[in-house]
Amino acid sequence: GMTAATMVAGKMDFIPFLPGTSFTCDRLELEVTTVVASSSVHLGVYADTGSGQPGALIDGTSTAIDTTTTGIKNSGSDVSVNFVAGTLYWLAILPSHAVGLRAVTAAGQAPLLQIAAGMANMHGFLRGTQSFGALPSTAPAIDMSNVINGAAFGLVRMRKQ
């Protein structure tokens, strides 16, 4: 199901994405549900390290997306990502403020991966500490105590080229 989720300033969320088919994406977007004055976000796609965590930046928004009004927002066709079927990627959201975004509920999530031995299948996302600005070329360290399991996460939309 769908809901809304409030982002956390100073944190970068990483949502696992495992495409069923190969395709090229030329736009990342999101839906703002609750606004904050002077707020914006960066969206990006990170490669997996091979150990179930985000690694190198593949591409992302070069211009921050304005989130001071509600609705679907993007920064134009400024990304180009060739997704390969069956390959794990990480969709990243880096907010400047605690804006509200359209989100996927825990009940609407399919288990994607097991992060650590003994942990049940993950229904959620990872979070790292990151100051707002341009997307980092390598994902920030993920504190495994910041595995957000069973919580709603921001929905990043992709436009197929």
Side-chain angles (χ1 to χ4, degrees), residues 138-154:
T138 302
I142 302 296
D143 176 353
M144 293 313 285
S145 67
N146 274 333
V147 174
I148 314 298
N149 199 17
F153 58 78

Side-chain angles (χ1 to χ4, degrees), residues 23-26 28 44-45 58-60 79-83 89 161:
F23 69 97
T24 299
C25 167
D26 72 346
L28 299 173
V45 178
I58 296 172
D59 204 355
V79 299
S80 181
V81 179
N82 296 311
F83 288 103
Y89 298 91
Q161 196 171 32

Side-chain angles (χ1 to χ4, degrees), residues 52-122:
Q53 293 193 21
L57 176 65
I58 296 172
D59 204 355
T61 55
S62 55
T63 302
I65 299 170
D66 184 308
T67 55
T68 59
T69 59
T70 59
I72 296 173
K73 309 292 179 180
N74 63 67
S75 64
S77 300
D78 69 344
V79 299
S80 181
V81 179
N82 296 311
F83 288 103
V84 177
T87 300
L88 179 61
Y89 298 91
W90 294 90
L91 306 177
I93 304 173
L94 179 59
S96 65
H97 295 76
V99 297
L101 302 180
R102 179 72 52 221
V104 178
T105 63
Q109 301 167 24
L112 289 178
L113 55 140
Q114 184 176 2
I115 298 295
M119 180 184 283
N121 284 337
M122 180 179 165

Side-chain angles (χ1 to χ4, degrees), residues 7-30:
M7 301 295 96
V8 179
K11 300 292 183 182
M12 189 169 181
D13 290 352
F14 294 93
I15 300 113
F17 175 62
L18 190 65
T21 59
S22 297
F23 69 97
T24 299
C25 167
D26 72 346
R27 178 182 289 173
L28 299 173
E29 58 188 31
L30 48 75

